[in-house]
Amino acid sequence: MVGIILVITILAKAWPWLRRAFRTIDALTSLADVLPALIDDVARIKHEVIPNHGGSLRDATDRTETAVADHGTQIANIEAGIQHATRQLAATKTTLARHTKQLQGLTKESE
């Protein structure tokens, strides 16, 4: 009888530790089931975020950044061309107005 009480007492005191040990073993078993899928997922993610000469999202992002920068340069060049054409147009309008006044003056003199 003393032996049974001793075993029950030991089990009662050890039970919280044993329960944690069993939970840890269950968690590790679940992790072992999930780990291969996680490894595959990480490999796919790594493939997308590391440049690999064209096929990754990182490569696509780099190409997009380059294209946007090129477009910015092209837009700046177009704006500069428009400003130059606007200045030329203003100068032409001024010259035309001056010549128009000169012609009007010549026309009045010849009358």
Side-chain angles (χ1 to χ4, degrees), residues 25-53:
I25 290 170
D26 285 343
L28 290 174
T29 303
S30 297
L31 181 62
D33 293 339
V34 173
L35 195 57
L38 289 175
I39 290 171
D40 288 342
D41 290 346
V42 168
R44 281 193 298 260
I45 292 168
K46 183 178 176 183
H47 173 76
E48 290 300 326
V49 298
I50 294 177
N52 62 5
H53 307 293

Side-chain angles (χ1 to χ4, degrees), residues 13-108:
K13 290 191 185 239
W15 182 250
W17 181 85
L18 287 172
R19 189 170 60 188
R20 277 183 290 202
F22 286 128
R23 285 182 182 165
T24 302
I25 290 170
D26 285 343
L28 290 174
T29 303
S30 297
L31 181 62
D33 293 339
V34 173
L35 195 57
L38 289 175
I39 290 171
D40 288 342
D41 290 346
V42 168
R44 281 193 298 260
I45 292 168
K46 183 178 176 183
H47 173 76
E48 290 300 326
V49 298
I50 294 177
N52 62 5
H53 307 293
S56 69
L57 286 173
R58 175 58 192 257
D59 291 324
T61 301
D62 290 346
R63 285 190 304 272
T64 301
E65 285 179 346
T66 300
V68 168
D70 290 345
H71 291 144
T73 301
Q74 290 171 357
I75 289 169
N77 290 338
I78 290 168
E79 287 174 342
I82 289 170
Q83 288 174 356
H84 178 70
T86 301
R87 286 190 300 272
Q88 284 183 326
L89 181 59
T92 302
K93 284 181 179 180
T94 303
T95 303
L96 181 60
R98 188 171 21 98
H99 289 308
T100 301
K101 285 183 183 181
Q102 287 174 349
L103 272 172
Q104 288 171 349
L106 289 175
T107 305
K108 287 183 185 179

